[in-house]
Amino acid sequence: MIPTKLDLTGLKCPLPALMTAKALKALSPGEVLEVHCTDPLSIIDIPHLVRQTGDKVEITERSEQRIIFMIEKTNGSIEDANTPFVNFPQDRDN
């Protein structure tokens, strides 16, 4: 399968993560998104986003100039990214 390419070179945080999320939303399960970034924070932000959505990410290239991610869309939904990082108990006795 030919990956969908997303060129985000030159964009700064938070745009690479936001645009990756939007592109993932448009994909069907099994499709692959190839994301090209230059923002050094994307090495943290994009894998974090992908963990939240339940998709699969692999960093295929990392240099001072560029980062390339290959992201496989799974059955996860981008709406799942709105779930909190930590689930605190609702009935805490303080």
Side-chain angles (χ1 to χ4, degrees), residues 63-84:
S63 67
E64 268 188 48
Q65 306 300 324
R66 179 171 62 172
I67 306 160
I68 299 176
F69 299 94
M70 297 296 284
I71 305 169
E72 181 183 346
K73 176 71 175 180
T74 62
N75 290 328
S77 169
I78 196 68
E79 283 78 26
D80 295 339
N82 293 327
T83 58

Side-chain angles (χ1 to χ4, degrees), residues 22 40 42 48 55 57 62 72 84 93-94:
K22 183 177 180 180
S42 65
H48 183 72
D55 298 315
V57 66
R62 182 178 179 187
E72 181 183 346
D93 295 329
N94 292 357

Side-chain angles (χ1 to χ4, degrees), residues 11-94:
L11 297 180
K12 299 289 183 192
C13 182
L15 290 177
L18 294 173
M19 294 181 80
T20 298
K22 183 177 180 180
L24 281 171
K25 190 174 182 179
L27 295 181
S28 298
E31 291 185 305
V32 175
L33 180 64
E34 181 178 322
V35 181
H36 293 244
C37 299
T38 52
D39 181 10
L41 291 177
S42 65
I43 197 76
I44 297 167
D45 295 341
I46 290 178
H48 183 72
L49 165 76
V50 173
R51 275 192 303 276
Q52 286 184 308
T53 63
D55 298 315
K56 298 178 186 175
V57 66
E58 180 179 325
I59 300 169
T60 59
E61 181 181 330
R62 182 178 179 187
S63 67
E64 268 188 48
Q65 306 300 324
R66 179 171 62 172
I67 306 160
I68 299 176
F69 299 94
M70 297 296 284
I71 305 169
E72 181 183 346
K73 176 71 175 180
T74 62
N75 290 328
S77 169
I78 196 68
E79 283 78 26
D80 295 339
N82 293 327
T83 58
F85 298 115
V86 177
N87 292 324
F88 291 106
Q90 298 298 320
D91 298 39
R92 293 193 296 180
D93 295 329
N94 292 357

